[in-house]
Amino acid sequence: MTDAARVDGVAIPISEIDRREAQLRAGTAAVALPAPGTGEGRQLRRWLTQLAVTEQVVAAEAARLGLTGERAPAEDDLLPDQTARLELGSVAAGALAQPVGRAVFARVTAGVTVSDAQVRAYYERNPLRFASSGESRGWRPAPVAPALAVVRTAIETHLLGVARRRAFRSWLDRRCAETAELASGFEHPGDPRQPDNVHRH
Amino acid sequence: MSESPVGQRVQVRGRIGNLLRFTQIITLWTGVDRVDCHTVIEDFRGSDQLLRLRWPCPVQGALPVSEVGDAVVGRGFGLTHDHSGGSRPEIAVDTAEYPWTLDNPAFGWFGLSSTVRVCAAGQTRAISVVEVVAPGPAGSSVRELLVALARKGVTATCSSAAGPRYGDLAVDSNLPDARIALGGPEENGFTAELLAQADACYAREVERQFCETGTALVWVPADDTLARRWVPGADLRGPRALPVLVVVGGDDAVTALTADLADARIDVEQQVPAGVGPFDPYTVALLNRGIPGFTVDSDGTLHSSLLRSCTGWPSGTWIDPPRRTAPDGSNFQLQHWTDTYDYAVCSGPGDWRDVGLPMRSAEFGSPLRAVVGSGPAAGGLPPWGALLEIEPAGSVALGALKAGGNPLPRGSAEPVDPRADITLRIVETSGSTVDVEIQSGMRAVTSPVRVNLLEEPLAQADAEPLRLHGYEIATVRTRLNMPQVFEGDHAQLGPEAEAAQPLYARYWLHNRGPAPLGGLPAVAHLHPAQLSAAPGAPISLRLTASSDAVDTALHGRVRLIGPPGWAVQPGVLPFVLPPGGYLEAGIELKVPPAATPGLYPVRAELSVTGGDSAPMPVSWRQSVEDVCLISVGGSDDVPVRLLGEPRGVRVRAGGAEQLTVTVGTEACAALAVEAHLISPWGTWEWTGPRAQGAELPARGSATLQFSISPPAWTAPGRWWALVRIAAAGHVVYSPAVDLEVYR
């Protein structure tokens, strides 16, 4: 076996995982990486396999839809902050580093909407989320909850961003499950059947 | 070998190849019924090797038993050596091949003993870890049985006959040593399978007992000994892999078995052989002081895990360069310095309850602290006596004693006064129900009131005695009606403030672990914490101040300190924060047009001057500050740097040396710096201060000194120390240098 995985028949050779690992180990974060050949070192290679598989799944989808990276949304629009990155997970967030990944994101999540009821419910739960205390010098008066009309767009943008990331994540999981075959030693890091996942009860 | 009126001592020195040198000191104190041991490991060079200490103490038929946080539990044998008859049982198994060695943590002690004994056909078998196989969904009588087993220390797991068996190391974290099957072959498929495979005499015995009495209790032996079955990689799911106690007769039989557990002994009267090996009713245990990892081999060797020397991720991982290591270049998890261990061995006839292990281990773990009094005895105190007594002493331990109330953690300014009331945590340690009495040799103790963890009273009838069930942990409040014997009202029992002042608002960025001591419930933050600006540019910052105080408004001020020559408006902001209150302010400043490129800190220091309920806790007088770092002209200067690294210290026991670091800042205004001395266990008593603070002047430096002064009785050894320095959310670690003590 010379392939770490196959996505819809397209091979991801083990040499590709080697290349990615070597690149990481040559970088500044190398001291924080687990030693090669250890259980944690193999988990790192499984994680790199997930990155490669995800990229291939996204690339295949882009080819199928005829998408290039042109006019793709900016990374900051899809992942405005660290919270959004954590929400999506490192593997899926990695796929959005390339414009073509973001173009697929835009297409796959184009139909996602947020209802008025969701916006209103969020506003009622978090009345001060987008409140402001003004710009004056010195102590400012306590913030007052703005009217829904004033913050509706801000709430909508926020909720839509979250909903699209969730939709993309579910789509990606589904596509990986349908199209990716992982070789022994390159299973998902969290797969309880592989020996380096040492979570036991 | 040495001897004195207080005891005898053997001292052994040796080495294991090139791996380590050891000193083993074994002491017998006159009149103390245990063997005290002290092991020192020096020049350890191991890597990915587990250093275990072995005490071969075989007790026939005994099983591993250990104390955990609030109970005593039966454990299985460790799977560290292959005793199934293969070659070289003295070589430990390779954990790469057999990762599940069943090492366990023990709280105060572990050993060979029995939690519950089964006495069948004149023979005795200890049981430790049991799978209870119910015929179907377990009812309340089964639950009672499991609770009774747990109270006696048996690790019990319930399963149903049709479900998967417990005992496969591929999925289970533990292995059973016996099974209890509830129901005869008609009700319980597992019983049927077992009796079909065992000698026919067992099925006939079940039948005979059932016909005569309507119930049956039969011990069906396993097809091999536990030691031969219980091997690395074991799979014990087969019906004959372990002995099985078959219980027939419905709920009544289960309830009768539950009742029989009260004396930690199950009596089985059967006319067929029990197939059990010899059994000595004896206990031997190793009491530990901070070395909890253990396994007991099936050949009766007690192993205590001393050193792990791990290179597996994240051991040795250092995220921000330069990577720091122990002085020999090894990662800190390899523990390549002088390591000392204290433990004791004790034994006696009977099980762990008869030997009184919980109390003996508590006595070993918390040695009596003798203090030489200063000045004449006051208040007519007798020459000896107990200030506090808790009965029954053998099975109830005092976990904590403190002044009643917990105001600081919840942001309350309420004073505490131990004369008003005290809080005690008491722990039942023997697994039995007991009535507890709290007394003082000096005066009455008013009847204790049960409280919850927040020390709020629980519903309790007045006349109710203080009764604890097995292993119960109870918190009670009471009052010590003591006469005053000396004047100690204003004695400070511990520090009221951090050594480094002011406190830093984002303390977690300093890698310092816990929040600053004192529970100051107010803080100020500057937003953003760092930014870039051009000379002449106006800057707006947001300042927030908040209070977590619950029962007082806080009065105080926030002082804003900009770099010299910078106008910061406003400069002082007085405040009154109601309980739980929050304030926000706009701060405006301007980078002077002539500012040279560099790093310019703006500090916001919050001080509480008073509350509306006097008096305020002393610790709330500490100031806390946040710092915004402004980079002008694209400067990449850093707020804190190590200018002078520490040097290794070699010191005679009884002497004193200094460990010195010089730290500097590139910032164009003064900054507060905090420094912590980090060194391994064994050195903390004679190195310090553990923390200190200093003010670094603009583009200046400060020299910080730490004293290394081992007392004359310190045993020679080699350790290390490093200094962690932090300012304005930036952290620098010095290299670790040698600390060597000689005589």
Side-chain angles (χ1 to χ4, degrees):
Chain A
M1 184 76 183
T2 54
D3 296 335
R6 295 180 82 80
V7 177
D8 244 348
V10 178
I12 295 170
I14 291 175
S15 58
E16 169 62 13
I17 309 304
D18 296 341
R19 187 191 65 77
R20 286 174 187 250
E21 185 181 355
Q23 195 179 4
L24 263 191
R25 292 198 182 280
T28 49
V31 284
L33 297 178
T38 60
E40 288 292 346
R42 290 189 292 273
Q43 289 287 71
L44 172 67
R45 287 171 65 77
R46 288 187 177 91
W47 177 78
L48 290 170
T49 308
Q50 286 299 306
L51 286 184
V53 164
T54 303
E55 279 173 27
Q56 180 54 36
V57 166
V58 168
E61 188 70 7
R64 200 176 67 80
L65 298 171
L67 291 174
T68 63
E70 252 181 274
R71 293 203 299 278
E75 197 171 357
D76 281 353
D77 291 342
L78 303 187
L79 299 169
D81 51 30
Q82 194 59 23
T83 313
R85 282 180 180 276
L86 292 172
E87 211 173 80
L88 197 59
S90 62
V91 170
L96 299 187
Q98 302 302 322
V100 68
R102 300 197 291 274
V104 171
F105 180 102
R107 180 69 72 87
V108 166
T109 64
V112 175
T113 55
V114 170
S115 73
D116 257 7
Q118 283 171 301
V119 172
R120 178 169 293 277
Y122 184 90
Y123 171 77
E124 277 160 13
R125 290 196 307 274
N126 308 283
L128 293 175
R129 174 68 171 81
F130 295 101
S132 155
S133 321
E135 297 299 319
S136 62
R137 178 192 292 179
W139 294 128
R140 293 165 179 166
V144 180
L148 174 57
V150 178
V151 290
R152 180 186 295 276
T153 315
I155 293 177
E156 246 169 28
T157 309
H158 174 66
L159 291 183
L160 190 62
V162 174
R164 293 179 75 189
R165 287 190 288 273
R166 192 184 303 132
F168 179 67
R169 181 77 242 199
S170 321
W171 171 83
L172 197 57
D173 284 348
R174 215 164 42 241
R175 289 299 288 158
C176 286
E178 286 163 3
T179 62
E181 284 172 71
L182 303 173
S184 168
F186 297 88
E187 305 87 344
H188 193 282
D191 185 342
R193 291 166 299 187
Q194 52 99 343
D196 295 316
N197 181 315
V198 289
H199 191 84
R200 286 284 189 287
H201 288 282
Chain B
M1 172 102 195
S2 45
E3 212 166 324
S4 88
V6 296
Q8 297 163 297
R9 167 170 283 177
V10 178
Q11 185 161 328
V12 183
R13 288 181 195 280
R15 59 163 60 242
I16 300 179
N18 246 346
L19 187 65
L20 58 86
R21 287 191 298 122
F22 63 85
T23 305
Q24 180 83 339
I25 300 174
I26 302 171
T27 308
L28 290 176
W29 300 105
T30 306
V32 177
D33 55 354
R34 57 167 201 250
V35 184
D36 279 11
C37 304
H38 179 78
T39 299
V40 183
I41 306 293
E42 283 173 289
D43 297 342
F44 177 63
R45 293 193 181 86
S47 175
D48 287 324
Q49 276 164 309
L50 177 63
L51 180 65
R52 296 188 205 264
L53 186 99
R54 295 159 57 95
W55 275 84
C57 297
V59 177
Q60 293 195 100
L63 286 176
V65 176
S66 81
E67 187 180 56
V68 291
D70 62 344
V72 172
V73 297
R75 300 275 83 187
F77 287 119
L79 303 178
T80 55
H81 296 79
D82 191 344
H83 295 291
S84 63
S87 60
R88 315 202 63 189
E90 73 280 7
I91 305 281
V93 299
D94 184 350
T95 51
E97 224 173 313
Y98 299 106
W100 315 114
T101 57
L102 304 190
D103 275 70
N104 270 290
F107 178 47
W109 59 270
F110 72 93
L112 279 164
S113 184
S114 68
T115 53
V116 167
R117 300 173 201 181
V118 176
C119 302
Q123 291 179 308
T124 302
R125 162 70 146 77
I127 58 173
S128 253
V129 185
V130 162
E131 178 184 18
V132 176
V133 186
S140 63
S141 66
V142 178
R143 185 179 190 284
E144 293 300 315
L145 172 63
L146 279 147
V147 170
L149 284 165
R151 286 260 161 79
K152 291 297 158 201
V154 177
T155 303
T157 298
C158 188
S159 67
S160 73
R165 290 282 73 74
Y166 174 39
D168 176 10
L169 276 183
V171 289
D172 295 320
S173 62
N174 212 343
L175 292 177
D177 55 72
R179 294 197 163 89
I180 298 178
L182 306 179
E186 293 80 22
E187 313 151 76
N188 186 319
F190 173 75
T191 311
E193 203 183 346
L194 167 76
L195 293 178
Q197 292 182 20
D199 189 295
C201 70
Y202 293 97
R204 282 200 301 272
E205 176 68 11
V206 170
E207 185 69 22
R208 181 192 68 78
Q209 287 188 21
F210 188 70
C211 288
E212 285 176 14
T213 65
T215 63
L217 195 60
V218 177
W219 180 260
V220 182
D223 60 7
D224 208 341
T225 64
L226 200 55
R228 286 167 58 84
R229 270 298 191 169
W230 212 336
V231 294
D235 180 352
L236 303 175
R237 289 175 297 174
R240 300 292 323 282
L242 296 173
V244 183
L245 181 66
V246 177
V247 185
V248 188
D251 283 349
D252 290 349
V254 174
T255 305
L257 177 60
T258 305
D260 194 23
L261 277 165
D263 59 356
R265 184 185 146 119
I266 299 171
D267 289 297
V268 182
E269 282 164 26
Q270 63 185 38
Q271 299 175 358
V272 286
V276 173
F279 177 84
D280 285 343
Y282 207 80
T283 292
V284 54
L286 200 143
L287 315 180
N288 85 61
R289 207 180 274 159
I291 35 172
F294 82 94
T295 65
V296 180
D297 253 15
S298 57
D299 69 352
T301 306
L302 309 182
H303 292 83
S304 195
S305 306
L306 301 187
L307 273 165
R308 235 161 58 96
S309 71
C310 185
T311 64
W313 188 89
S315 301
T317 299
W318 194 277
I319 293 173
D320 296 319
R323 177 171 184 253
R324 299 305 189 193
T325 64
D328 70 348
S330 65
N331 94 46
F332 291 108
Q333 279 76 9
L334 297 186
Q335 294 182 264
H336 284 188
W337 52 89
T338 302
D339 301 286
T340 61
Y341 306 92
D342 289 301
Y343 53 95
V345 180
C346 66
S347 65
D351 66 17
W352 61 271
R353 286 163 281 246
D354 303 321
V355 175
L357 274 179
M359 190 177 72
R360 289 168 74 176
S361 118
E363 279 173 355
F364 176 73
S366 313
L368 187 67
R369 185 169 296 201
V371 179
V372 180
S374 58
L381 282 177
W384 68 273
L387 296 174
L388 191 70
E389 287 168 66
I390 298 179
E391 294 291 344
S395 56
V396 180
L398 177 68
L401 168 68
K402 61 186 273 296
N406 248 340
L408 279 186
R410 60 187 175 93
S412 165
E414 230 171 65
V416 287
D417 183 0
R419 281 170 303 199
D421 62 346
I422 56 168
T423 301
L424 297 91
R425 180 149 305 136
I426 49 180
V427 186
E428 204 291 324
T429 59
S430 69
S432 328
T433 299
V434 291
D435 286 331
V436 179
E437 257 188 84
I438 301 172
Q439 301 164 343
S440 167
M442 295 196 52
R443 219 30 110 66
V445 178
T446 52
S447 26
V449 177
R450 274 188 182 247
V451 293
N452 62 16
L453 289 176
L454 300 175
E455 300 180 34
E456 300 156 345
L458 298 170
Q460 181 189 29
D462 279 348
E464 206 178 306
L466 184 56
R467 175 169 295 177
L468 302 193
H469 65 65
Y471 304 126
E472 183 173 1
I473 300 172
T475 308
V476 297
R477 263 175 111 140
T478 186
R479 204 169 159 195
L480 278 177
N481 182 17
M482 292 271 212
Q484 178 162 348
V485 290
F486 65 92
E487 177 59 52
D489 269 4
H490 301 291
Q492 191 182 320
L493 297 177
E496 302 271 14
E498 285 280 342
Q501 295 285 340
L503 313 177
Y504 178 53
R506 304 172 201 254
Y507 61 88
W508 56 90
L509 295 178
H510 286 183
N511 280 7
R512 48 165 287 149
L517 72 81
L520 173 63
V523 71
H525 284 113
L526 280 172
H527 313 267
Q530 47 194 4
L531 59 101
S532 301
I539 294 171
S540 298
L541 297 177
R542 196 159 63 90
L543 170 82
T544 55
S546 59
S547 166
D548 276 337
V550 291
D551 50 14
T552 179
L554 297 177
H555 303 246
R557 61 172 178 272
V558 180
R559 216 153 55 91
L560 287 134
I561 309 153
W566 289 39
V568 178
Q569 289 296 332
V572 177
L573 283 159
F575 64 78
V576 179
L577 276 167
Y582 162 86
L583 284 168
E584 182 179 320
I587 307 295
E588 279 165 19
L589 48 145
K590 194 174 170 205
V591 185
T596 53
L599 187 68
Y600 293 85
V602 175
R603 301 164 71 172
E605 188 179 278
L606 178 146
S607 310
V608 176
T609 51
D612 53 13
S613 72
M616 213 175 56
V618 179
S619 61
W620 292 10
R621 303 273 174 197
Q622 301 179 89
S623 296
V624 57
E625 75 166 14
D626 196 18
V627 183
C628 169
L629 293 172
I630 301 171
S631 161
V632 172
S635 162
D636 53 7
D637 285 353
V638 292
V640 59
R641 280 184 58 193
L642 189 62
L643 296 180
E645 295 186 351
R647 285 191 163 155
V649 172
R650 195 168 176 273
V651 59
R652 181 187 295 277
E657 293 286 341
Q658 299 287 327
L659 185 141
T660 306
V661 288
T662 305
V663 295
T665 182
E666 292 170 351
C668 302
L671 274 180
V673 66
E674 65 173 328
H676 286 85
L677 183 68
I678 300 174
S679 61
W681 186 79
T683 63
W684 301 339
E685 291 75 13
W686 43 268
T687 54
R690 305 309 300 177
Q692 59 178 300
E695 181 92 353
L696 297 178
R699 291 185 175 277
S701 67
T703 295
L704 305 170
Q705 288 198 321
F706 298 87
S707 153
I708 312 295
S709 46
W713 55 85
T714 310
R718 185 186 282 260
W719 298 271
W720 53 266
L722 65 78
V723 183
R724 183 186 60 224
I725 303 132
H730 291 250
V731 186
V732 171
Y733 286 81
S734 83
V737 296
D738 268 320
L739 286 189
E740 190 186 342
V741 176
Y742 67 96
R743 280 211 171 135

